[in-house]
Amino acid sequence: MTLVGHSRMADADRTAILGGTFTPIHNGHRALLHKAFQTASHDGSGDGHVIVGLTSPELATETRSDPTHVEQLGAYDDRRSALASELDQLGEPYSATYEIVRLDDTQGPAATRADVDALVASPEAKAQRRAYELNQQRRDAGLHPLEIHTPPFVVAEDGTRISSTRIRNGEIDVHGRLLDAAE
């Protein structure tokens, strides 16, 4: 794993973890990332650490209802670079360090790392179900269950949640502003 951004964490730190494709990065993603930095930075005696799993193209193909959408995600290295830039900006006010790891399976390091304390999950039912299953897998492996932290959905101007699909479809921008279909 490559450390990106701030200096290496101390042993007393809390570690928060989350994952996704993060493309395009929108205000809903920013809410998840802020929650991860808050969870890691403001609890415990150390500075904290955030692990962000970035979905590989292979995993994205496997988990999408329409695998052709993977082409719209962009190259992994480009997504990683954009995520690192976003994390540099978002993480600035927090004490926590961060790293980006490649996700090649749906559970990622959250299922096996004993040093992880909290999982940040979207309020979507599918994400909540995965969080529950992940904690069951951790219990079965003799690991402590993770705290689950869930920020609320971020909604667009029309009151419907912001999503990458809506952005790619040209309905809204990354901030949730409605786009004129005639443009």
Side-chain angles (χ1 to χ4, degrees):
M1 291 183 217
T2 306
L3 183 65
V4 179
H6 310 286
S7 63
R8 195 73 175 133
M9 65 182 182
D11 290 337
D13 294 330
R14 285 179 43 84
T15 299
I17 194 166
L18 71 159
T21 55
F22 296 101
T23 184
I25 297 172
H26 55 69
N27 285 358
H29 292 136
R30 290 180 184 100
L32 290 166
L33 295 167
H34 275 296
K35 177 60 83 176
F37 276 110
Q38 289 167 351
T39 300
S41 297
H42 296 292
D43 293 320
S45 59
D47 290 335
H49 189 62
V50 174
I51 301 170
V52 183
L54 182 60
T55 305
S56 70
E58 297 80 13
L59 180 59
T61 301
E62 182 183 313
T63 57
R64 294 288 172 264
S65 56
D66 184 348
T68 62
H69 290 165
V70 175
E71 297 166 10
Q72 298 174 335
L73 298 180
Y76 178 85
D77 289 340
D78 294 342
R79 291 187 293 123
R80 190 181 194 293
S81 178
L83 180 58
S85 293
E86 190 71 33
L87 289 166
D88 281 342
Q89 290 178 349
L90 285 176
E92 190 60 36
Y94 299 102
S95 61
T97 59
Y98 72 84
E99 65 184 296
I100 300 171
V101 299
R102 183 181 176 102
L103 280 183
D104 291 312
D105 63 74
T106 57
Q107 301 296 319
T112 57
R113 286 191 50 172
D115 64 333
V116 175
D117 303 293
L119 174 70
V120 176
S122 163
E124 292 174 298
K126 185 177 181 180
Q128 293 296 308
R129 190 171 37 257
R130 279 189 185 152
Y132 173 81
E133 291 167 357
L134 180 118
N135 267 341
Q136 190 58 54
Q137 183 178 346
R138 287 180 64 88
R139 282 186 197 94
D140 292 346
L143 297 171
H144 65 83
L146 301 177
E147 299 168 10
I148 307 299
H149 294 260
T150 305
F153 280 123
V154 177
V155 297
E157 286 178 333
D158 62 359
T160 303
R161 75 180 179 89
I162 295 174
S163 72
S164 297
T165 301
R166 292 188 71 202
I167 294 165
R168 283 192 294 273
N169 289 344
E171 298 172 38
I172 58 173
D173 69 11
V174 297
H175 303 290
R177 292 182 290 247
L178 295 175
L179 299 177
D180 184 4
E183 289 181 5

